[in-house]
Amino acid sequence: MKAIIFDLDGTLFQSEKVGLPAFLETFRVLKEEGLYREEMPTEDKIRSVFGMTHDELWQTLLPDATKEIREKADRMMLGFELELIGRHRGEFYPGVKETLHALKERGYALFIASNGVGPYVRGELESGDLTSLFTGIYSAGEYKTKSKVDLVSLLKEQHQVTDGMMVGDRSSDVEAGKQNGLVTVGCRYSGFPQFGSRDELAGADHLISSFAQMLDLA
């Protein structure tokens, strides 16, 4: 199968437009309820966890919290994110919709492999009317995988993917592609917040500065 597997946040979707306000509101409520007594995390600290699994991100942001508090924070954050998506606060990067349609027309099977949770991932895609373009939508939250490597391996096995590309903005995406025998594409879009540094994406086979450049690689 000729396939292209995409990460979602920071690759297709401008996650900071939804993620940042949702995280900040979650911490505001936690402080208000007396469940968090530290300084509010900075925006850079919050950006640093984008792309992690939810277990990893809460271990990073709430290292001393109980399991119950982390689970409550996770539920709150998801609720705030879905509310913002419903209010059309999120945006896809320039050229994403047109490029995905063009890749589909060229015969590629398109997939999502995200460390997010199912309702969030599907909510983002539905907000852009993009769901129908994807042969499969895989999220760590639904499949309970521990890493992006495992998630992509499962996707490949279930859809008999033997060749293709893994596209993403973090080292976990590059690692998932490399360990699953895929060509890797790192995303660092000009004029937008960068989630993956050049060093983090140094192992990628290709580095693109705009999503439309995918058409040159396909």
Side-chain angles (χ1 to χ4, degrees), residues 2-3 10 26 34 36 77 82 88 101-102 145 151 168 173 185 197:
K2 189 166 66 168
T26 297
Y36 180 75
M77 185 191 68
L82 294 177
H88 303 289
H101 278 281
T145 49
L151 188 64
D173 300 310
V185 181
S197 67

Side-chain angles (χ1 to χ4, degrees), residues 168-209:
D169 67 306
R170 302 307 299 257
S171 59
S172 57
D173 300 310
V174 177
E175 180 187 21
K178 292 287 187 183
Q179 292 199 29
N180 282 288
L182 301 169
V183 174
T184 53
V185 181
C187 304
R188 296 195 83 240
Y189 301 137
S190 300
F192 294 91
Q194 309 284 305
F195 297 118
S197 67
R198 286 191 177 275
D199 288 343
E200 188 176 354
L201 296 172
D205 298 304
H206 304 280
L207 196 63
I208 59 175
S209 59

Side-chain angles (χ1 to χ4, degrees), residues 45-218:
K45 180 70 172 179
I46 293 172
R47 286 192 182 96
S48 74
V49 305
F50 288 176
M52 294 182 180
T53 64
H54 278 232
D55 284 345
E56 291 171 334
L57 69 85
W58 290 118
Q59 286 169 11
T60 301
L61 295 177
L62 293 174
D64 300 321
T66 64
K67 178 182 178 182
E68 289 74 20
I69 291 175
R70 288 178 184 172
E71 289 176 347
K72 180 172 183 174
D74 198 50
R75 290 193 299 271
M76 279 198 295
M77 185 191 68
L78 175 60
F80 291 136
E81 286 177 328
L82 294 177
E83 179 186 352
L84 289 165
I85 291 170
R87 291 160 55 191
H88 303 289
R89 293 296 181 89
E91 293 182 35
F92 289 85
Y93 288 104
V96 163
K97 296 180 182 180
E98 298 87 349
T99 302
L100 289 175
H101 278 281
L103 292 171
K104 188 76 170 179
E105 289 173 2
R106 291 185 184 186
Y108 283 94
L110 308 181
F111 295 90
I112 292 290
S114 168
N115 276 337
V117 295
Y120 172 75
V121 170
R122 294 179 186 280
E124 285 187 355
L125 294 174
E126 289 167 6
S127 74
D129 197 25
L130 296 175
T131 306
S132 63
L133 293 177
F134 293 94
T135 301
I137 298 170
Y138 283 67
S139 68
E142 286 184 326
Y143 288 91
K144 308 302 180 185
T145 49
K146 296 296 185 182
S147 71
K148 184 68 72 73
V149 172
D150 295 337
L151 188 64
V152 172
S153 176
L154 178 66
L155 185 161
K156 284 187 63 186
E157 178 183 350
Q158 291 187 347
H159 291 273
Q160 299 181 336
V161 173
T162 56
D163 187 26
M165 289 186 277
M166 177 70 214
V167 186
D169 67 306
R170 302 307 299 257
S171 59
S172 57
D173 300 310
V174 177
E175 180 187 21
K178 292 287 187 183
Q179 292 199 29
N180 282 288
L182 301 169
V183 174
T184 53
V185 181
C187 304
R188 296 195 83 240
Y189 301 137
S190 300
F192 294 91
Q194 309 284 305
F195 297 118
S197 67
R198 286 191 177 275
D199 288 343
E200 188 176 354
L201 296 172
D205 298 304
H206 304 280
L207 196 63
I208 59 175
S209 59
S210 73
F211 190 77
Q213 288 178 311
M214 281 300 305
L215 295 176
D216 298 327
L217 300 177

